[in-house]
Amino acid sequence: MPVALDIEKRQEEIRGLLFDDKVSQALHRLMDFVRDFSQGRENLNEVTVISANFRRIDTAERQKRLGFKEAQSERTELLYQALSLMDVIVETLGVEVASNG
Amino acid sequence: MDKSLLEDAKALRSGIMVHPKDGSAELVQFANKYATTTKLKNNALILRLNCGRAETPDVQSDIQTEMLGLIEHIIKDHEKNVGSQAVKVREETLAKLHRYYLEKQVPNDLVFECKGLTKEYPRSAFKLGEVDLTLRLGQITGVVGQNANGKTTLLRMVAGELRHNQGIINYPVLKQGGELIDWVKVKSEIAYVPQELPPWYGSLADNLHYEAALHGMLGQENDDEVDYVVERLGLSEHLSKSWRELSGGYKLRFSLAKVLVWKPKLLIMDEPLANLDLKAQTTLLKDVRDLAQSLRFPMSVLMSSQHLHEVEAVSDQMVFLRQGEIVYNGPVADIGADRTHNAFELSTSLELVALKDRLNDSRFTDIHYNGVSYLIQTTYETTYREVLEHLLNNQIDILYFRDISRSTKRLFE
């Protein structure tokens, strides 16, 4: 099975990048995942905003406009949102495939 | 109660207390093994991330406490839900989804094909071809060869930037070909990024919106697509910059963004790695590979480069040109399949005479120096392991070693 079609492997790749603290790469691959497996624009816009916010927080922290704890808290929230989005897409697709027999 | 669960939990608690960072990695494995919900698995992953980034002992201590708490949640979840109807239904649904995609095919439509393509330059007496080439969606094709051997000429002909002398060109996915090609339609689906990037005026943001609009994307769709490409290529911090304020690497990424925003079917890049540092090369190649293999908007990529190993690593097929003639044209996996000997590159502090002396063995059929490294030719039967073993056993210090038996690099010699 080509990797592009293997949803499990694609999820594992994203989770693996997060495990290795390669958040930026993980979010880029999540954008690819959402584009490939999600209908409509809403989810893609959501992951685009998550990625943009993540970058904004990192920049603010680097420029000392945001303390570590605040930055960490905001990052954590965004990562939950990103991972939940991936789960919701898989669940929605699963229900669609199951209901179509 | 699951005995292994309790034993694993006990070991994990101790691990987290002694070494939280290592413990956080084990917590992710524990969650993946025992948690029945993705939410708990996600919690473990995020704690792992936060633990690695913790700057002070009090933050570390808070995360440690959270990790210990998560273990208890996972134990309760496992006890309550493992084997439950809800979990079984979810697993079956996911298995069905997996099977559904297993039966699907990745898009690999033929984007471009040419047969007997030639181009002659009477003044210099240079002739390219004949070239037969097929490019498919989702595939990357690398074009390599020394300078002035026809790479740019080939790319420009495929892009419709240069007229060929003989041969047939078709763009099947665009339903165009033969003598009656609608070049406006073809060029609206083909992106050509030349080596010498033309400068642009105004900010990147303006240019991206303009490119998207030229390809029919207006209003919200235009904004969404630009936002996506900017974020996907990591360019948001440079959006307001002008051409002169950008480094060479970012100029290339911006040029890429300008074409990716309209989702071309074929992306042609002439020497994209030429002005990039090592990290930027890796990032670019990885991005291009991932974006080419998109299920929803796949594209074919044709790129020329002197960075043979890097391009071979991401390409599906390679074209090697020497003085305008095709020396190799086929899958990366088949390079060197018909070879009669193996070839290796070696850098060592030894002089050629001393090296030859230590490689005095019938397996080593030729050794010479190309100005940068030694090229060692061996019999076909001699493996890279045997070569390495021989080098080590004969006290030859290895500064660099590479097996090029199955690389287009061997064709340069």
Side-chain angles (χ1 to χ4, degrees):
Chain A
M1 183 184 201
V3 176
L5 287 171
D6 194 329
I7 290 194
E8 276 180 28
K9 279 227 165 69
R10 299 269 302 255
Q11 283 183 287
E12 275 172 27
E13 182 197 358
I14 293 164
R15 297 174 75 87
L17 287 167
L18 288 175
F19 185 90
D20 293 334
D21 201 356
K22 294 176 180 166
V23 179
S24 186
Q25 281 183 49
L27 290 174
H28 287 168
R29 289 302 281 152
L30 180 59
M31 292 172 89
D32 297 343
F33 181 90
V34 173
R35 208 178 206 208
D36 281 348
F37 295 110
S38 173
Q39 300 292 334
R41 191 79 213 192
E42 209 172 289
N43 289 332
L44 189 56
N45 286 350
E46 185 179 339
V47 70
T48 303
V49 171
I50 290 171
S51 179
N53 283 338
F54 208 92
R55 200 182 298 274
R56 179 184 54 76
I57 293 164
D58 276 353
T59 306
E61 190 187 12
R62 220 173 33 243
Q63 295 172 348
K64 309 279 181 206
R65 287 185 284 112
L66 202 62
F68 174 76
K69 275 195 173 177
E70 294 89 339
Q72 188 80 320
S73 161
E74 285 191 40
R75 273 195 293 258
T76 300
E77 205 170 302
L78 286 172
L79 287 174
Y80 274 122
Q81 200 185 338
L83 287 167
S84 302
L85 179 64
M86 186 163 73
D87 295 338
V88 166
I89 287 167
V90 173
E91 275 175 36
T92 309
L93 266 181
V95 170
E96 277 172 16
V97 169
S99 64
N100 290 332
Chain B
M1 179 78 77
D2 188 337
K3 201 177 162 189
S4 65
L5 166 69
L6 294 179
E7 282 170 4
D8 286 351
K10 191 178 169 188
L12 181 55
R13 282 189 204 100
S14 317
I16 287 170
M17 293 313 292
V18 176
H19 203 296
K21 282 187 184 171
D22 291 348
S24 71
E26 286 161 21
L27 177 64
V28 173
Q29 287 163 5
F30 181 79
N32 288 341
K33 187 174 176 186
Y34 293 112
T36 68
T37 68
T38 50
K39 194 180 169 192
L40 290 171
K41 293 174 190 174
N42 293 348
N43 286 352
L45 195 52
I46 289 169
L47 281 174
R48 149 94 181 151
L49 256 177
N50 288 347
C51 186
R53 290 181 172 210
E55 281 185 338
T56 56
D58 62 318
V59 175
Q60 187 74 268
S61 171
D62 289 349
I63 293 170
Q64 226 170 351
T65 309
E66 281 186 67
M67 288 198 284
L68 293 172
L70 183 59
I71 296 174
E72 305 315 314
H73 280 299
I74 292 170
I75 293 171
K76 279 182 192 160
D77 163 71
H78 186 84
E79 278 177 7
K80 190 180 165 193
N81 296 322
V82 76
S84 72
Q85 190 60 22
V87 171
K88 277 182 190 163
V89 169
R90 196 183 313 133
E91 283 171 358
E92 278 170 22
T93 307
L94 290 178
K96 257 189 196 171
L97 181 64
H98 196 68
R99 282 199 300 276
Y100 170 77
Y101 277 102
L102 194 66
E103 288 162 9
K104 289 187 82 164
Q105 294 253 315
V106 287
N108 69 341
D109 303 4
L110 195 57
V111 180
F112 172 87
E113 62 177 350
C114 67
K115 284 198 175 77
L117 200 67
T118 65
K119 178 70 188 175
E120 288 179 52
Y121 294 95
R123 262 191 218 171
S124 62
F126 177 81
K127 183 188 172 189
L128 171 68
E130 299 175 352
V131 179
D132 294 352
L133 183 65
T134 56
L135 306 174
R136 290 184 176 277
L137 287 179
Q139 277 190 345
I140 297 181
T141 304
V143 182
V144 296
Q146 287 169 352
N147 289 335
N149 275 237
K151 299 190 296 293
T152 301
T153 298
L154 175 61
L155 265 55
R156 291 185 66 209
M157 283 196 291
V158 176
E161 298 277 322
L162 190 65
R163 189 156 177 79
H164 56 283
N165 292 122
Q166 287 179 316
I168 299 167
I169 280 182
N170 292 313
Y171 299 89
V173 81
L174 306 174
K175 298 183 175 56
Q176 296 291 324
E179 293 301 312
L180 294 169
I181 294 176
D182 177 352
W183 285 108
V184 174
K185 176 162 175 53
V186 168
K187 288 189 176 188
S188 71
E189 300 280 358
I190 294 180
Y192 178 56
V193 180
Q195 185 177 3
E196 293 292 327
L197 299 170
W200 63 76
Y201 300 98
S203 69
L204 171 73
D206 292 341
N207 276 272
L208 289 179
H209 287 295
Y210 178 69
E211 285 290 331
L214 278 181
H215 287 80
M217 282 174 258
L218 303 170
Q220 192 60 47
E221 187 195 3
N222 185 304
D223 287 343
D224 287 346
E225 207 54 47
V226 169
D227 287 349
Y228 164 78
V229 167
V230 165
E231 205 46 51
R232 178 61 184 81
L233 294 182
L235 297 171
S236 56
E237 288 177 27
H238 308 273
L239 257 188
S240 59
K241 289 184 181 168
S242 65
W243 172 262
R244 281 187 298 181
E245 293 172 286
L246 296 169
S247 67
Y250 274 105
K251 278 177 181 159
L252 179 69
R253 283 187 88 72
F254 279 149
S255 300
L256 197 57
K258 274 176 70 178
V259 299
L260 289 179
V261 76
W262 47 269
K263 303 185 276 282
K265 294 276 193 300
L266 174 57
L267 169 63
I268 301 168
M269 294 189 290
D270 195 1
E271 300 282 357
L273 308 180
N275 298 315
L276 303 185
D277 61 41
L278 278 177
K279 190 170 179 242
Q281 285 177 19
T282 311
T283 306
L284 178 85
L285 289 175
K286 191 179 177 325
D287 280 343
V288 166
R289 190 192 62 199
D290 290 341
L291 292 167
Q293 290 177 343
S294 163
L295 294 179
R296 188 151 292 171
F297 300 107
M299 60 183 177
S300 182
V301 177
L302 178 66
M303 71 168 126
S304 66
S305 183
Q306 301 288 355
H307 296 72
L308 303 188
H309 297 302
E310 289 79 2
V311 170
E312 281 175 6
V314 297
S315 293
D316 300 283
Q317 57 177 3
M318 294 293 289
V319 176
F320 184 92
L321 290 168
R322 187 188 289 140
Q323 293 172 349
E325 286 183 12
I326 299 261
V327 176
Y328 181 81
N329 181 5
V332 170
D334 291 351
I335 297 171
D338 60 349
R339 70 192 185 280
T340 54
H341 59 267
N342 289 328
F344 304 88
E345 283 180 326
L346 171 73
S347 282
T348 173
S349 61
L350 289 179
E351 295 291 328
L352 180 61
V353 176
L355 183 64
K356 277 186 171 176
D357 188 45
R358 293 192 200 186
L359 295 181
N360 188 13
D361 183 314
S362 60
R363 291 173 300 172
F364 301 100
T365 53
D366 185 42
I367 303 154
H368 67 270
Y369 186 63
N370 67 4
V372 178
S373 54
Y374 292 105
L375 290 159
I376 302 171
Q377 191 175 298
T378 71
T379 58
Y380 177 77
E381 293 73 25
T382 309
T383 66
Y384 78 94
R385 281 175 191 276
E386 289 171 335
V387 175
L388 268 178
E389 248 176 44
H390 186 94
L391 295 176
L392 295 170
N393 291 341
N394 286 275
Q395 280 79 48
I396 298 169
D397 60 324
I398 302 167
L399 304 173
Y400 167 85
F401 178 79
R402 192 188 281 266
D403 182 353
I404 57 167
S405 308
R406 309 208 65 170
S407 163
T408 48
K409 187 149 193 185
R410 65 201 291 273
L411 302 174
F412 273 93
E413 299 310 319

